[in-house]
Amino acid sequence: MADIHIRKEGKAGRITLTRPEALNALSYDMCLQIDAALIKWAEDDEVALILIDAEGDRAFCAGGDIREIYEIGLSGDHTRAQEFWRDEYRMNARLFEFPKPVVSFMQGFTMGGGVGVGCHGSHRIMARSSRMAMPECGIGLVPDVGGSMILAHAPGRLGEYIGMTGARLAPGDAIHAGFADYVIRQAEWDALKADLIRTGDPSHIDEAAIPPIPGNLSAMQPMIDAHFGGGSLGEIVASLRAEDSQFAENTLELLGRNSPLSMACTVEMLHRMAGTRDVRASLELEYRFVYRSLEHSDLVEGIRAAVIDKDRNPNWEYDMENLPQEAVEHMLAPLGDKKLTF
């Protein structure tokens, strides 16, 4: 069975992820197919909007296919992984810049690479049971697929907190942080999709929306803002260690699970992206990290611990307290003629 179903239906260009057994994880081929469809549909007068959805109840898309990345990492030839990220990021930019409405229906989990497919459109829909996360620091990567741009513009210091901890966001938090626009009862999705296909008009989405329930992060924002305004990972950790509170204790535990190098680079990336909403700039910065990641980061070890051996006991290269700034600068340094182009 194919992993993705791309077709025109009525006035909609339709993209359906069809790998529910793999939580609709994105393969390289799926990214290429999405990109090709977007190129074609941008100039097609019969296509009024794009409708993106996925099969299964558990996930819209739980990320990129990191087993594929792991095997490439072990092979020693990192070219294919670098090409995967390059072409995926080009597709992410094309979605963000698409000249017609892009409507995504995100049930279950949307994580990592799924954010790059579902969260760059004009009408981003969740159900009440949907959850969203950018958990890349837990496997030695950084929030990517343009996610660093969304995080950099989240209110206050939510972006640093979400990116560094990998926090799971209920719909209210996802909307508050800038990853989604609407909550619509999942029982109404099929009728709404049928209307979009028939009319090519997304205005009825507003009528179907229900108010989101405020999430936990909104309540935690004063504490998050107080501790995550530091200029580096070390300053954030020091601020948390200086406070005897349940929030500080819980947050340090969350950070302690993740790659210090990844978290430190995430802080630096979000600070650099705070002044712009240029998705290409964010993707180009993210690509600097991932291009080097299989050789110079914690990625292979992180995937091993989380997905391959599942021992949840990664051996990170650095500690949170003594990570040298030079390591961050190295991972985010310009790539010269290897830089991401569009």
Side-chain angles (χ1 to χ4, degrees), residues 158-175:
L158 281 186
E160 286 89 341
Y161 179 86
I162 293 166
M164 293 170 70
T165 64
R168 291 184 175 181
L169 310 182
D173 284 329
I175 292 172

Side-chain angles (χ1 to χ4, degrees), residues 199-267:
T199 66
D201 179 2
S203 63
H204 291 172
I205 293 172
D206 293 284
E207 299 165 18
I210 57 176
I213 298 170
N216 295 333
L217 289 190
S218 299
M220 290 163 54
Q221 181 137 12
M223 293 175 283
I224 291 170
D225 290 351
H227 292 290
F228 279 79
S232 67
L233 171 64
E235 290 174 33
I236 292 168
V237 170
S239 177
L240 290 164
R241 291 206 191 286
E243 180 178 289
D244 182 14
S245 70
Q246 195 64 52
F247 171 80
E249 181 181 334
N250 292 347
T251 304
L252 285 166
E253 182 181 347
L254 291 173
L255 298 180
R257 300 172 187 171
N258 295 340
S259 161
L261 178 61
S262 294
M263 292 189 292
C265 287
T266 297
V267 173

Side-chain angles (χ1 to χ4, degrees), residues 14-37:
R14 296 207 57 185
I15 298 170
T16 302
L17 310 182
T18 56
R19 283 184 89 189
E21 74 291 343
L23 302 181
N24 294 310
L26 283 178
S27 67
Y28 188 10
D29 182 63
M30 292 164 72
C31 292
L32 293 176
Q33 289 191 55
I34 293 171
D35 198 45

Side-chain angles (χ1 to χ4, degrees), residues 3 19 25-31 64-75 77 80-81 84-85 294 303 307-308:
D3 293 335
R19 283 184 89 189
L26 283 178
S27 67
Y28 188 10
D29 182 63
M30 292 164 72
C31 292
D65 194 337
I66 56 175
R67 284 182 178 272
E68 187 177 352
I69 298 294
Y70 180 78
E71 288 161 8
I72 293 168
L74 293 184
S75 75
D77 179 5
R80 180 169 169 80
F84 184 147
W85 282 309
L294 288 171
I303 299 175
V307 178
I308 307 302

Side-chain angles (χ1 to χ4, degrees), residues 5-325:
H5 186 200
I6 296 176
R7 71 277 189 202
K8 288 200 299 186
E9 202 172 312
K11 296 185 177 181
R14 296 207 57 185
I15 298 170
T16 302
L17 310 182
T18 56
R19 283 184 89 189
E21 74 291 343
L23 302 181
N24 294 310
L26 283 178
S27 67
Y28 188 10
D29 182 63
M30 292 164 72
C31 292
L32 293 176
Q33 289 191 55
I34 293 171
D35 198 45
L38 294 173
I39 292 170
K40 185 167 59 177
W41 289 338
E43 305 296 329
D44 188 339
D45 292 339
E46 294 180 354
V47 174
L49 56 76
I50 307 296
L51 197 164
I52 306 176
D53 60 5
E55 292 183 354
D57 294 324
R58 293 170 62 200
F60 166 74
C61 177
D65 194 337
I66 56 175
R67 284 182 178 272
E68 187 177 352
I69 298 294
Y70 180 78
E71 288 161 8
I72 293 168
L74 293 184
S75 75
D77 179 5
H78 303 156
T79 308
R80 180 169 169 80
Q82 291 159 346
E83 291 172 348
F84 184 147
W85 282 309
R86 178 198 67 199
D87 292 332
E88 180 183 17
Y89 290 6
R90 288 173 175 170
M91 177 268 289
N92 299 143
R94 205 177 307 280
L95 263 175
F96 183 86
E97 297 169 350
F98 201 72
K100 303 173 185 180
V102 177
V103 185
S104 54
F105 289 83
M106 297 178 284
Q107 79 278 12
F109 282 105
T110 299
M111 298 193 290
V115 167
V117 175
C119 298
H120 288 321
S122 56
H123 297 73
R124 304 165 298 174
I125 298 167
M126 299 176 75
R128 276 196 167 142
S129 59
S130 301
R131 295 295 181 269
M132 192 169 290
M134 296 224 74
E136 289 85 354
C137 287
I139 59 165
L141 264 182
V142 291
D144 66 336
V145 297
S148 65
M149 180 191 67
I150 300 174
L151 291 171
H153 294 279
R157 297 298 178 178
L158 281 186
E160 286 89 341
Y161 179 86
I162 293 166
M164 293 170 70
T165 64
R168 291 184 175 181
L169 310 182
D173 284 329
I175 292 172
H176 181 57
F179 285 91
D181 303 300
Y182 303 95
V183 180
I184 296 176
R185 292 182 181 89
Q186 200 164 346
E188 298 178 15
W189 283 14
D190 286 346
L192 181 56
K193 290 177 190 178
D195 182 76
L196 293 168
I197 292 164
R198 180 177 56 82
T199 66
D201 179 2
S203 63
H204 291 172
I205 293 172
D206 293 284
E207 299 165 18
I210 57 176
I213 298 170
N216 295 333
L217 289 190
S218 299
M220 290 163 54
Q221 181 137 12
M223 293 175 283
I224 291 170
D225 290 351
H227 292 290
F228 279 79
S232 67
L233 171 64
E235 290 174 33
I236 292 168
V237 170
S239 177
L240 290 164
R241 291 206 191 286
E243 180 178 289
D244 182 14
S245 70
Q246 195 64 52
F247 171 80
E249 181 181 334
N250 292 347
T251 304
L252 285 166
E253 182 181 347
L254 291 173
L255 298 180
R257 300 172 187 171
N258 295 340
S259 161
L261 178 61
S262 294
M263 292 189 292
C265 287
T266 297
V267 173
E268 177 65 23
M269 289 165 60
L270 299 195
H271 292 176
R272 292 189 192 183
M273 288 307 303
T276 177
R277 289 189 183 271
D278 182 349
V279 74
R280 296 189 180 197
S282 70
L283 291 163
E284 191 269 321
L285 181 58
E286 295 161 4
Y287 188 70
R288 297 179 189 183
F289 185 101
V290 301
Y291 184 90
R292 300 179 170 102
S293 61
L294 288 171
E295 187 173 0
H296 297 292
S297 79
D298 289 317
L299 178 59
V300 173
E301 172 63 7
I303 299 175
R304 179 207 64 76
V307 178
I308 307 302
D309 298 338
K310 298 183 179 178
D311 59 25
R312 305 286 174 185
N313 189 30
N315 183 25
W316 303 129
E317 183 175 358
Y318 300 102
D319 296 326
M320 288 196 294
E321 288 82 0
N322 60 7
L323 186 143
Q325 182 63 23

